[in-house]
Amino acid sequence: MTVHFIGAGPGAADLITVRGRDLLGRCRTCLYPGSMTPTALLEYCPPEAVLVDTANLDLPAIVERMVEAHGKGHEIARLCSGDPSIYSAVAEQMRRLDAAGVPYDVTPGVPAFAAAAALLNRELTVPEVGQSLVITRAQARSTAMPPGETLANFARTGTTLALHLAINRIEQVVDELRPFYREDCPAAVVALASQPGEQVLRGTLGTIAAQSREAGISRAAMIFVGEVLAAEGFPDSFLYSATRDRASQPESL
């Protein structure tokens, strides 16, 4: 029997992948983060499935429930908000399952930054404006950031930034970015993307903190900073250029 780490997506139940939905439908045990999982998503589970809310469980207790279910011969779904590859605590669960001899696999999901970009109606890689995206977070009462992974270091490149877990420190974030981005650099905040009560704020580096406080946004929000958020007049990508020899050249931007 296998533990299936499944990306639950950003919130809306219909943004789970078809593979993730089908796995839920056959797993007799499902562990899910209660504070971030819509009840509609759990309706994909079999009626007899054991549902375990992990919101108030620590890591050893979560792994214990998975190991127990494996011992009973259950297929196990471990739902992760967004995509398991980003800020999901999957790595530490995997190494404990390895030690216990429990097999697992991973099904990707729609990450929060992608759902937020969709609400903004913006591509985050625009030709000759921005071709890179840094996904990072702010540190407060959380695991320390590795040396060198600072906002200042990322901002020196001038690339587009997407920040998780930073909305309650947005003033500090803005202060750290000011030396590297101009005051009128486009910025945005997207809260609860794809969920009831979703909010979208568009502004600049100089205005976005005040806009966020005025809107009362304090959780489940992404902060974006970068020229791509308001780019106009940029050239078309080479991918669809009439000058590209499609017979001999592979697809390339």
Side-chain angles (χ1 to χ4, degrees), residues 51-247:
L51 303 180
V52 180
D53 184 353
T54 62
N56 294 315
L57 299 180
D58 59 18
L59 182 59
I62 291 170
V63 175
E64 181 181 1
R65 296 301 293 269
M66 291 191 283
V67 172
E68 286 178 356
H70 171 73
K72 295 175 181 177
H74 291 193
E75 290 285 311
I76 303 144
R78 174 58 170 126
L79 283 174
C80 311
S81 62
D83 178 81
S85 68
I86 304 174
Y87 306 129
S88 66
V90 161
E92 50 262 47
Q93 294 173 66
M94 287 177 173
R95 68 184 177 190
R96 285 166 170 79
L97 292 176
D98 285 336
V102 177
Y104 54 82
D105 57 28
V106 180
T107 296
V110 177
F113 78 86
L119 279 181
L120 290 169
N121 286 327
R122 281 288 169 178
E123 183 178 351
L124 299 179
T125 52
V126 175
E128 296 188 12
V129 179
Q131 289 289 288
S132 302
L133 174 68
V134 171
I135 303 167
T136 188
R137 65 173 176 84
Q139 186 199 344
R141 295 175 297 173
S142 56
T143 307
M145 295 291 285
E149 290 194 16
T150 66
L151 279 183
N153 281 345
F154 294 136
R156 284 188 179 92
T157 68
T159 194
T160 307
L161 300 179
L163 285 89
H164 288 256
L165 308 172
I167 194 64
N168 289 316
R169 301 178 63 218
I170 190 168
E171 290 87 0
Q172 181 179 337
V173 167
V174 167
D175 287 343
E176 291 184 42
L177 297 181
R178 275 197 172 101
F180 308 100
Y181 297 86
R182 67 180 198 277
E183 194 77 1
D184 62 351
C185 179
V189 166
V190 180
L192 297 169
S194 86
Q195 302 177 49
E198 63 186 13
Q199 293 177 276
V200 177
L201 303 178
R202 294 177 174 86
T204 67
L205 187 64
T207 67
I208 198 66
Q211 288 175 259
S212 299
R213 294 306 182 195
E214 184 177 351
I217 296 175
S218 61
R219 67 185 184 92
M222 295 287 309
I223 303 171
F224 294 93
V225 179
E227 299 294 339
V228 299
L229 298 175
E232 296 181 1
F234 48 86
D236 294 337
S237 68
F238 185 64
L239 177 62
Y240 299 116
S241 172
T243 65
R244 184 167 72 85
D245 181 2
R246 286 171 171 74

Side-chain angles (χ1 to χ4, degrees), residues 5-88:
F5 291 101
I6 302 170
D14 61 352
L15 283 180
I16 193 172
T17 65
V18 173
R19 181 184 297 179
R21 179 201 64 194
D22 291 348
L23 283 171
L24 281 179
R26 73 170 197 245
C27 287
R28 292 172 60 194
T29 294
C30 175
L31 292 88
Y32 66 97
S35 60
M36 295 179 282
T37 304
T39 55
L41 195 57
L42 299 177
E43 293 175 6
Y44 295 134
C45 297
E48 71 280 5
V50 177
L51 303 180
V52 180
D53 184 353
T54 62
N56 294 315
L57 299 180
D58 59 18
L59 182 59
I62 291 170
V63 175
E64 181 181 1
R65 296 301 293 269
M66 291 191 283
V67 172
E68 286 178 356
H70 171 73
K72 295 175 181 177
H74 291 193
E75 290 285 311
I76 303 144
R78 174 58 170 126
L79 283 174
C80 311
S81 62
D83 178 81
S85 68
I86 304 174
Y87 306 129
S88 66

